[in-house]
Amino acid sequence: MCGRIACTLAPDEVSRACGYSNRGGQRRRPRWRDGDADKYQPSYNKSPQSTSPVLVSQRHFDKEAPVDECVLASMRWGLVPAWFRDNNPNKMQYSTNNCRSENILEKKTYKDPLVKGQRCVILADGFYEWRKTGKDKQPFFIYFPQTPSGDKNKDQDEPETSSGNREESEAACSPGEGSPVLTEGEEEAVDEWTGWKLLTMAGLFDCWTPPDGGEPLYTYSVITVNASPNLQNIHHRMPAILDGDEEVRRWLDFGQVKSLDALKLLESKNSLTFHPVSSIVNNSRNNSPECLQPVDPSSKKEPKPTASSKMMMSWLENSGKRKAPDATGDTKEPSKDSAATSLKSTGLQQWLQGANKKPRT
């Protein structure tokens, strides 16, 4: 399953981080759909019913646009089918946060959007999952392996919890200053993004309009598959991951790739890494960098840094330089005192000081 995600990049950074390739192999940077950049609020701890950035074909909003041209949209997590007849979408009696890949063609809620080509890619820094041990639950943060810029070709050991597929990760470093969001009709070749490599999850979306009239509501569901071998000891399900530009393109290009062929992309992939995090993430009202910081659940000592975790620490340090989301999802400038307290209490400074040391196996 997937019940909590983190997406902390600013709107312009999301646009830069999710560059895509069209049918001709040309790299493009998607613009935000009009007004949607303002609807999205970065958060370290997003739960269902919150709004997240998704990548979709522009054809869904503009019938004259090429199918392989993509746009960023803000959509609410938890699919509300177009045929739902109540005026209040919150009165749905069943959960549509996740959609099992095995049941897509069996349930009207998901079959209808699939047949219409309403496929989307949910973008996130990563997602949280909980491992049950007796009466206790240990949360983990799960994401694409990250490689610090400049260390791409170095022989670095990954943590025991990682998939070990280091060759599949891309060079990344701390996000830089954001570039302007593209205006409507603009296309631009993409400079290589050197920030956090966003997780790309397959999903379905639908557009619901209140029966009595009103603004259309776009919502989505995360498609899940059986967990990959390296995640099975945490949970038996995981989001369907689209790994690489070609898989993202094929999932979104409903004009060239028909529904049944697209479903073949929904497989368990052993391409993610993870680390345990603090139980403060259990409460969705907690929204701070501490939600993502690695912990050692069996010891009070700080865990040894690894290639991906050092990237995480550098990224968290840099996030303090941007506007930090508060518990309500709004953004505000973090105070120097709170930032210093966070660094001291989590040992983040020690992690960063050891960033050049070769991690232990």
Side-chain angles (χ1 to χ4, degrees):
M1 63 177 293
C2 179
R4 206 76 64 78
I5 63 175
C7 193
T8 64
L9 297 184
D12 60 317
E13 292 175 319
V14 173
S15 177
R16 295 169 57 206
C18 67
Y20 67 94
S21 297
N22 60 16
R23 291 176 183 175
Q26 296 174 311
R27 295 283 293 167
R28 288 288 183 263
R29 190 181 116 205
R31 66 174 181 84
W32 280 91
R33 182 170 172 259
D34 293 343
D36 276 20
D38 296 330
K39 297 178 182 178
Y40 156 65
Q41 294 292 345
S43 174
Y44 296 97
N45 196 358
K46 279 185 175 290
S47 58
Q49 306 305 310
S50 63
T51 300
S52 300
V54 302
L55 195 63
V56 295
S57 169
Q58 173 68 6
R59 177 69 68 86
H60 294 298
F61 306 109
D62 179 4
K63 299 302 180 183
E64 302 300 320
V67 179
D68 62 340
E69 180 180 326
C70 296
V71 66
L72 276 167
S74 290
M75 295 189 185
R76 198 180 81 168
W77 187 0
L79 189 146
V80 179
W83 46 262
F84 186 66
R85 292 300 173 222
D86 198 293
N87 270 310
N88 185 355
N90 296 323
K91 290 186 177 180
M92 286 184 57
Q93 299 298 313
Y94 53 94
S95 173
T96 56
N97 303 328
N98 292 169
C99 164
R100 295 175 65 92
S101 61
E102 303 90 332
N103 300 337
I104 288 180
L105 296 176
E106 300 174 7
K107 296 185 177 181
K108 178 180 175 62
T109 299
Y110 307 120
K111 182 178 179 180
D112 286 358
L114 180 68
V115 171
K116 295 176 184 177
Q118 292 172 186
R119 309 193 297 252
C120 65
V121 175
I122 299 100
L123 304 167
D125 301 346
F127 69 98
Y128 298 99
E129 192 56 84
W130 283 257
R131 180 172 65 192
K132 293 183 179 180
T133 305
K135 295 181 180 180
D136 298 327
K137 290 184 178 181
Q138 172 61 51
F140 289 83
F141 186 60
I142 305 171
Y143 51 99
F144 274 138
Q146 309 287 322
T147 303
S149 180
D151 291 346
K152 190 173 182 180
N153 297 320
K154 290 184 180 181
D155 182 18
Q156 292 184 322
D157 296 318
E158 285 293 314
E160 294 177 0
T161 53
S162 97
S163 65
N165 293 343
R166 294 190 300 275
E167 68 276 5
E168 295 187 82
S169 64
E170 297 179 355
C173 66
S174 302
E177 295 297 325
S179 58
V181 177
L182 295 183
T183 57
E184 185 171 1
E186 253 186 307
E187 287 187 354
E188 182 178 297
V190 177
D191 293 331
E192 188 67 25
W193 167 251
T194 57
W196 187 261
K197 182 182 178 183
L198 290 177
L199 195 61
T200 42
M201 301 176 284
L204 295 173
F205 76 93
D206 212 343
C207 178
W208 173 82
T209 303
D212 294 342
E215 184 179 356
L217 175 66
Y218 285 89
T219 58
Y220 71 88
S221 180
V222 178
I223 300 175
T224 65
V225 295
N226 289 324
S228 58
N230 71 316
L231 297 180
Q232 288 176 353
N233 68 332
I234 299 178
H235 197 275
H236 66 285
R237 302 289 292 182
M238 66 178 289
I241 303 300
L242 300 168
D243 197 354
D245 284 351
E246 181 60 14
E247 289 194 5
V248 169
R249 185 197 70 79
R250 289 179 59 79
W251 179 252
L252 295 178
D253 193 348
F254 65 94
Q256 186 179 74
V257 183
K258 301 307 178 184
S259 298
L260 293 180
D261 291 329
L263 291 179
K264 297 176 183 177
L265 295 170
L266 307 179
E267 299 177 343
S268 301
K269 295 183 175 68
N270 209 43
S271 57
L272 304 181
T273 189
F274 55 89
H275 62 252
V277 294
S278 169
S279 59
I280 68 165
V281 76
N282 296 356
N283 188 333
S284 61
R285 291 190 295 271
N286 292 328
N287 182 15
S288 70
E290 190 178 351
C291 293
L292 300 174
Q293 291 170 353
V295 301
D296 185 347
S298 62
S299 173
K300 294 183 180 180
K301 296 181 180 180
E302 295 172 357
K304 296 294 182 179
T306 62
S308 288
S309 62
K310 283 188 292 186
M311 172 60 202
M312 169 70 74
M313 292 301 98
S314 177
W315 172 61
L316 289 175
E317 181 192 49
N318 184 269
S319 69
K321 300 175 184 177
R322 303 195 306 269
K323 290 185 177 180
D326 61 18
T328 63
D330 296 328
T331 56
K332 62 181 180 181
E333 294 290 350
S335 67
K336 293 182 179 179
D337 291 340
S338 63
T341 301
S342 175
L343 288 173
K344 183 177 180 181
S345 62
T346 61
L348 185 55
Q349 289 176 318
Q350 295 177 353
W351 281 65
L352 294 172
Q353 289 172 355
N356 295 323
K357 297 177 182 179
K358 184 176 177 63
R360 291 196 333 186
T361 303

